Amino acid sequence: MNIFIQIFYQPFLNLLVGIYYFLHFILGSGADMGIAVIIFTVAIRIILMPLTISGDRSEAERYRLSGEVEELKKKFSADPVARDAHVKNLLKANRKIVFVSGLNLAIQTIVALMLWRIFASGLLGEDFHLLYDFVPQPKEAFNLTFLGKYDLTHPNATFNALQSIVILIFEIEVSLFSLFPITRKEMILAQFTLPVGSYIIFSQLPAGKKLFIITTLLFSIVYISIRQIKYWWYRLGRAMDKKTEVVADLPPQSI
């Protein structure tokens, strides 16, 4: 727990508080923690961008690996011992893929725990002793609202519904631009079960954490859109190059 606090929780708590005070310096009384959370979320996504890009690059490898695992399960369906041995050897030979997937899951878990503590107790004063000396010490309670209306420390039905809507948009975009075939079952799970399930299961999460999730999803939607545009631009460039090569190879009388 001490390692979690010192390495992860404390730096990000200070980053969020620092952003809040910077906004307070710029906007005065118009600053609130909700705006700070949005900037804080974008900052975290930028910090983790190398890991995001690395995960994208290994996506095809993970897809290939899962296919090979399924083939081994079918091939050795009558011999569980041999099946497990072959799967284990396959995973050993692809440790990098397994490591990146595990690292992504670990980071998501750490961020979830960090945010839960920040909004459950940290910003209410219980963790002010963790603020660094160069960060202004709070002399009054933080404005823990968004746009002066939404209390970030309590559940909010509007944020809950907005989170489900953004999840639906994100999943639709992923299914449209996926490089791999998506089954009907996977599409139903992603575009119906996840938004509805998140609305029910996470309805009691504080609005501050939901604002973080919503901003993260919007960041991902923009990132995927930019990646897809770059891919289309690349395909267009390749098509134009091939067309130029074909024209160049034609005899003069054919042009």
Side-chain angles (χ1 to χ4, degrees):
M1 181 60 69
N2 288 334
I3 293 176
F4 165 75
I5 291 175
Q6 294 177 6
I7 296 180
F8 299 104
Y9 179 75
Q10 188 174 13
F12 285 109
L13 173 66
N14 280 269
L15 175 61
L16 179 56
V17 173
I19 292 172
Y20 173 82
Y21 277 120
F22 176 76
L23 290 174
H24 199 274
F25 175 77
I26 299 297
L27 303 176
S29 59
D32 63 46
M33 190 59 72
I35 300 174
V37 168
I38 293 175
I39 298 175
F40 171 76
T41 306
V42 174
I44 289 182
R45 288 303 305 264
I46 292 174
I47 292 172
L48 298 179
M49 184 59 70
L51 185 61
T52 300
I53 295 174
S54 176
D56 288 344
R57 290 174 178 172
S58 62
E59 184 176 358
E61 296 179 354
R62 290 199 302 271
Y63 184 78
R64 172 188 57 79
L65 181 61
S66 63
E68 292 181 5
V69 170
E70 290 301 319
E71 289 179 2
L72 288 174
K73 288 181 178 180
K74 292 179 181 178
K75 184 177 180 180
F76 297 97
S77 59
D79 189 350
V81 176
R83 177 198 63 200
D84 293 344
H86 281 82
V87 170
K88 185 176 181 180
N89 290 334
L90 180 63
L91 296 178
K92 279 186 177 181
N94 294 271
R95 290 178 180 176
K96 181 181 178 181
I97 303 174
V98 178
F99 173 76
V100 172
S101 300
L103 183 60
N104 275 317
L105 179 60
I107 289 177
Q108 292 174 20
T109 303
I110 289 171
V111 170
L113 292 172
M114 176 183 67
L115 289 171
W116 177 81
R117 176 161 175 171
I118 283 177
F119 291 106
S121 59
L123 295 178
L124 298 178
E126 294 185 21
D127 292 332
F128 285 173
H129 65 284
L130 295 175
L131 296 177
Y132 299 137
D133 293 337
F134 58 83
V135 176
Q137 302 300 307
K139 297 180 180 179
E140 57 184 18
F142 292 126
N143 179 11
L144 299 178
T145 64
F146 180 47
L147 303 178
K149 182 179 180 181
Y150 303 103
D151 186 348
L152 299 178
T153 62
H154 292 83
N156 182 275
T158 300
F159 275 65
N160 200 36
L162 183 59
Q163 175 187 256
S164 295
I165 293 172
V166 176
I167 289 175
L168 175 62
I169 295 172
F170 172 76
E171 292 299 338
I172 291 176
E173 183 182 45
V174 169
S175 64
L176 287 175
F177 298 148
S178 176
L179 298 176
F180 315 111
I182 298 178
T183 64
R184 183 178 181 85
K185 180 179 179 181
E186 291 173 336
M187 189 174 297
I188 293 175
L189 176 64
Q191 298 180 14
F192 178 77
T193 307
L194 284 179
V196 175
S198 67
Y199 183 89
I200 298 173
I201 297 173
F202 302 117
S203 61
Q204 297 306 308
L205 286 180
K209 186 170 181 178
K210 288 187 176 295
L211 182 59
F212 177 91
I213 295 172
I214 292 168
T215 306
T216 295
L217 289 169
L218 291 175
F219 187 97
S220 296
I221 290 171
V222 172
Y223 171 76
I224 293 174
S225 299
I226 293 174
R227 187 183 64 183
Q228 187 65 26
I229 291 172
K230 289 177 63 178
Y231 173 71
W232 284 337
W233 185 259
Y234 169 77
R235 290 289 300 271
L236 178 62
R238 289 291 300 273
M240 294 298 292
D241 290 342
K242 289 182 179 179
K243 184 177 180 180
T244 302
E245 291 175 2
V246 171
V247 173
D249 290 339
L250 290 175
Q253 63 271 22
S254 300
I255 301 178

